[in-house]
Amino acid sequence: IPLSSPYPDPAKDRLLASAHAKLLRARARREKPRIDDKVIASWNGLAIAALARGWQVLGDSRYLSAAQKAAGFIRDSMTRPDGRLTRTWRSDHRAMLDDYAFLIHGLIELYQSDFDPQWLSWAEELQKIQDRDFADARGGFFLDDTSDTTLFTRLRDDDDVALPGGNSMAVLNLLRLADLLSDPRYRATADSALAAAAVLMRGSAFAYPALLIALDYRLDRSKEIAIAGRKEDPGTRALLAALRGRFLPNQVVALADDTATSPLMRNKPMLNGRATAYVCEQGSCRLPTTEPAQALAEAGTLIPLDLK
């Protein structure tokens, strides 16, 4: 195969260079193709979650930085003065259920990566808006935005197809927020949605994989893991590394060096000034430990029912 091009070089062929320039001028008069540069809140929510989880597992700071940057962009450029989201950047289109659900999911993962309370606070604010604007008055599933007067009817996002359904992600968010914020009202809302979806899951389980993940979280007696310690302390890092080194899907992790900053951190001080892990289930906790191996063992086992 010859290394040189079989075609003349416009830079060396005057005739070809002249024709090339004329073609460029003619093309410049035509309407240029549009560039698809839209930024969608829901897609970014999923990306934030993936990047944050990537940081937790691989420790690559580029992932965490990208997740933080994306979340900050949505907060600064895609949030209305009343706190509601817009669906896309540079438009005023109302956000849909999946925009709220996916972004809340991303913010929960981001909080569990850098433990900045602003992400958890924002997730809680967005959840309140979602509950207010999208809840079905009859209970159960979430529907299209009640405040959008342009809708002829309020549709329900049921199954999980190319992307998880908005309802499926919303249920998992509610369960995780219930644990992180120690607020049983979120769990009650999730239970109502799961009950409404029971017939659907029984009839076609393969159509609801994301919803089944939420159901598994609910039935598996999820763990609330509170770590009292400073972010940069080697003991804190060791505890987090142990917990992140094994696949433990049904748990949430909170961290604080001031036990008053998070509901999950209340009455959970450091032991002898060392980073300390508390592994709990629905408020009932095992004895605190400063040893990473012990924290991991407790996170992977069930707490006896008689402790509840």
Side-chain angles (χ1 to χ4, degrees):
I1 300 175
L3 297 178
S4 59
S5 171
Y7 302 104
D9 186 351
K12 299 177 181 179
D13 189 306
R14 290 186 178 181
L15 180 60
L16 184 59
S18 175
H20 192 257
K22 290 176 183 177
L23 285 171
L24 284 176
R25 288 195 295 271
R27 190 174 68 180
R29 292 194 293 269
R30 298 174 60 184
E31 182 178 353
K32 291 180 174 60
R34 296 183 178 181
I35 299 175
D36 186 359
D37 62 350
K38 63 178 176 291
V39 178
I40 302 178
S42 61
W43 292 3
N44 274 269
L46 292 176
I48 291 167
L51 289 164
R53 185 63 68 89
W55 149 254
Q56 295 173 28
V57 175
L58 302 174
D60 190 328
S61 60
R62 294 176 300 172
Y63 297 153
L64 180 59
S65 178
Q68 293 167 332
K69 184 178 179 180
F73 180 85
I74 295 176
R75 181 184 55 199
D76 297 338
S77 303
M78 298 175 63
T79 304
R80 297 178 176 182
D82 63 0
R84 289 187 172 97
L85 298 173
T86 60
R87 178 160 178 79
T88 59
W89 178 45
R90 296 190 303 204
S91 81
D92 199 37
H93 296 160
R94 294 171 181 267
M96 301 171 68
L97 175 61
D98 61 347
D99 296 306
Y100 284 93
F102 293 0
L103 181 55
I104 293 169
H105 170 58
L107 293 174
I108 292 172
E109 288 293 347
L110 185 52
Y111 167 73
Q112 295 182 107
S113 297
D114 64 7
F115 298 104
D116 188 332
Q118 68 168 319
W119 307 127
L120 185 58
S121 296
W122 189 20
E124 186 179 13
E125 292 171 8
L126 292 176
Q127 187 64 56
K128 290 178 180 177
I129 293 174
Q130 179 188 300
D131 291 345
R132 182 185 68 217
D133 291 350
F134 293 86
D136 187 346
R138 298 168 295 181
F141 274 120
F142 292 96
L143 306 175
D144 284 334
D145 192 349
T146 57
S147 64
D148 189 349
T149 57
T150 65
L151 297 177
F152 290 103
T153 184
R154 298 181 64 205
L155 300 177
R156 190 174 76 186
D157 183 9
D158 275 349
D159 52 354
D160 306 314
V161 284
L163 295 176
N167 272 285
S168 301
M169 193 63 75
V171 173
L172 182 58
N173 290 340
L174 287 164
L175 292 171
R176 300 180 84 188
L177 286 174
D179 289 339
L180 281 167
L181 300 172
S182 301
D183 191 337
R185 292 175 297 178
Y186 290 120
R187 189 175 295 107
T189 303
D191 286 348
S192 177
L194 287 170
V199 174
L200 299 175
M201 288 187 287
R202 288 194 192 99
S204 180
F206 288 107
Y208 304 96
L211 192 57
L212 288 171
I213 290 174
L215 179 62
D216 182 71
Y217 186 102
R218 182 67 178 95
L219 297 178
D220 193 35
R221 294 169 56 191
S222 59
K223 302 292 194 305
E224 311 108 51
I225 303 173
I227 297 179
R230 300 171 184 85
K231 292 181 187 179
E232 303 305 321
D233 184 86
T236 301
R237 290 183 174 184
L239 288 170
L240 288 172
L243 294 170
R244 291 168 174 173
R246 182 180 296 178
F247 181 57
L248 301 170
N250 298 331
Q251 47 96 352
V252 293
V253 180
L255 182 148
D257 53 15
D258 178 356
T259 57
T261 59
S262 168
L264 188 53
M265 298 302 304
R266 290 181 187 139
N267 302 317
K268 297 181 178 68
M270 292 186 284
L271 296 181
N272 301 319
R274 298 178 60 188
T276 305
Y278 295 78
V279 179
C280 313
E281 289 179 13
Q282 297 183 16
S284 297
C285 302
R286 289 182 179 271
L287 292 175
T289 180
T290 59
E291 298 300 324
Q294 181 63 25
L296 179 59
E298 293 178 359
T301 58
L302 292 176
I303 294 177
L305 289 173
D306 58 8
L307 291 182
K308 294 185 177 181

